Amino acid sequence: MDGQTNTSNRDPNRRDKWSQVNDTMRDNHIGILAIQETHIDATRLAEVQAMRPRIKILLSAHERATSTAGEVAPGRALVARVAWHNRKINILTVYGTNDESTSSKLWADILTWLTKPDCPVKGIDVLLGDMNFVEDEIDHLSARFSEVDRAVDSFRALCDTLGVTDGWRRRNPGALEWQTYGALTGTDHYLVSTDICDHAAPPVGPGSFESALNHWCVPLVRKLEAYTQGIRERTHNDNIQLAFRDMKMLVAGEVGRKLGSIANRRLELLNRERRETQNNKETDPDEVARQVEVIESQIEVELAKQQRRHGDNLQASVDAA
């Protein structure tokens, strides 16, 4: 993903990619997202981080740059240590090369770095990224192997030492289909994801929104059940179909109100952010204009979502009728 795009030169109909990253993580409940080829430098990173304070961005600089904390191989591999429940886990993200010799060397170098006595990272819990090769034969689109696929031995040596495995393939040994998220604008890859679970953790509910909605819907369902049990004779104006329609219309209206209130709060925050940015006299005017443009693109997205949601609610009412 090219994250270095100058917003003053970009297509006015194309959304800022970092806004898409923000929305993708929020809408799909993604806690950790690994992206490659951002082509972003420290200056642009500071700008994006300031405008997206809820996202913590860790950057692995270009391969020729000086290594920084957490970088296993500059521009290629980065380790993030994050809090998870009552402990911390180490997540290794890698952007593999597309050449056999350099790919094999990369995996070997990572293994050497992680196993040296003074390595600050003690073990890897999650390995993810764009490996730039296909590990298992079953996943090949055709029977022909690429040269870079021959680096699999070096990769597997790393995985065996770290004790990590392809969890999806392990649970789906013969599967040939999987699900991906739609690609961000201007990228040539799709997103795949997995959930990390602590099996010793207590059960967790679906969240406050669904809990509140279920709490509101349960009495309606019970009322409908009681109504159906009391029907003695079905008539044109007194039947289960009409009662079910009325209940669906009530639920659709409640969902619309709840989602609408959340969307309105987002719009209020974005409009406030736009006003504060416009009134900032300490920032360069060109930079203010660029920041305002990004915020306005986010506002447009929220308004479009509200319009689609309004259309869905109208369709639900029509279907219920």
Side-chain angles (χ1 to χ4, degrees):
M1 185 195 85
D2 185 358
Q4 187 63 38
T5 305
N6 187 334
T7 54
S8 62
N9 297 326
R10 68 180 174 89
D11 182 349
N13 296 318
R14 176 180 292 183
R15 290 186 56 213
D16 174 68
K17 290 179 182 177
W18 290 105
S19 296
Q20 295 182 63
V21 168
N22 180 81
D23 292 352
T24 298
M25 295 184 70
R26 182 197 65 220
D27 295 344
N28 296 290
H29 307 288
I30 297 174
I32 303 290
L33 178 67
I35 54 178
Q36 290 77 37
E37 291 188 288
T38 59
H39 303 287
I40 188 173
D41 56 24
T43 302
R44 176 62 175 149
L45 173 63
E47 294 175 354
V48 173
Q49 188 67 84
M51 299 180 66
R52 300 282 180 271
R54 297 187 63 183
I55 300 178
K56 176 63 177 177
I57 304 174
L58 302 180
L59 171 67
S60 179
H62 192 275
E63 293 173 80
R64 293 189 293 271
T66 302
S67 179
T68 59
E71 286 187 282
V72 183
R76 290 292 177 183
L78 176 72
V79 173
R81 185 170 174 80
V82 299
W84 188 68
H85 293 282
N86 59 348
R87 66 187 183 96
K88 292 183 180 293
I89 60 174
N90 297 321
I91 300 176
L92 170 62
T93 177
V94 182
Y95 176 45
T97 68
N98 54 13
D99 174 77
E100 178 193 356
S101 60
T102 55
S103 180
S104 296
K105 184 179 184 302
L106 173 63
W107 303 117
D109 288 346
I110 294 174
L111 179 58
T112 300
W113 190 88
L114 289 170
T115 55
K116 63 184 181 180
D118 59 343
C119 179
V121 178
K122 305 303 179 184
I124 294 296
D125 300 286
V126 180
L127 169 61
L128 75 165
D130 181 359
M131 311 310 176
N132 252 329
F133 75 91
V134 180
E135 179 186 2
D136 295 315
E137 294 184 24
I138 194 175
D139 293 323
H140 277 265
L141 187 61
S142 66
R144 185 178 65 85
F145 274 63
S146 300
E147 286 297 319
V148 69
D149 294 333
R150 304 185 190 282
V152 67
D153 291 337
S154 179
F155 173 75
R156 286 176 176 166
L158 170 66
C159 293
D160 290 343
T161 303
L162 298 178
V164 296
T165 185
D166 185 343
W168 187 89
R169 175 55 65 199
R170 188 174 179 179
R171 294 188 61 185
N172 305 273
L176 298 175
E177 297 181 356
W178 58 90
Q179 182 179 358
T180 62
Y181 293 104
L184 302 176
T185 302
T187 66
D188 58 355
H189 287 69
Y190 288 88
L191 305 181
V192 295
S193 69
T194 188
D195 294 326
I196 305 175
C197 303
D198 182 356
H199 294 289
V204 178
S208 59
F209 173 77
E210 290 189 19
S211 297
L213 186 61
N214 289 339
H215 178 74
W216 186 84
C217 288
V218 167
L220 289 178
V221 175
R222 290 176 177 170
K223 182 178 179 180
L224 179 64
E225 291 176 344
Y227 172 79
T228 58
Q229 293 173 0
I231 294 180
R232 294 291 180 267
E233 180 180 355
R234 184 185 185 283
T235 67
H236 181 72
N237 296 319
D238 187 13
N239 57 70
I240 184 61
Q241 285 79 12
L242 290 179
F244 187 54
R245 180 205 65 182
D246 294 342
M247 189 195 75
K248 286 199 299 183
M249 292 181 66
L250 287 172
V251 172
E254 182 66 13
V255 170
R257 282 190 291 273
K258 286 185 177 296
L259 292 178
S261 63
I262 294 173
N264 287 335
R265 286 198 295 271
R266 287 177 184 160
L267 280 174
E268 289 176 6
L269 292 174
L270 286 170
N271 282 316
R272 184 189 308 168
E273 183 181 0
R274 178 174 59 180
R275 290 193 300 270
E276 292 175 351
T277 303
Q278 290 172 330
N279 294 329
N280 187 349
K281 306 301 182 184
E282 299 179 359
T283 305
D284 180 76
D286 290 338
E287 174 61 19
V288 169
R290 189 191 67 78
Q291 293 182 10
V292 169
E293 182 181 7
V294 173
I295 297 171
E296 288 179 342
S297 71
Q298 292 178 280
I299 293 175
E300 291 175 2
V301 171
E302 288 296 335
L303 290 173
K305 286 181 179 179
Q306 285 195 6
Q307 290 177 351
R308 289 196 300 271
R309 192 176 298 119
H310 179 66
D312 291 343
N313 288 341
L314 286 178
Q315 185 62 47
S317 298
V318 170
D319 292 342

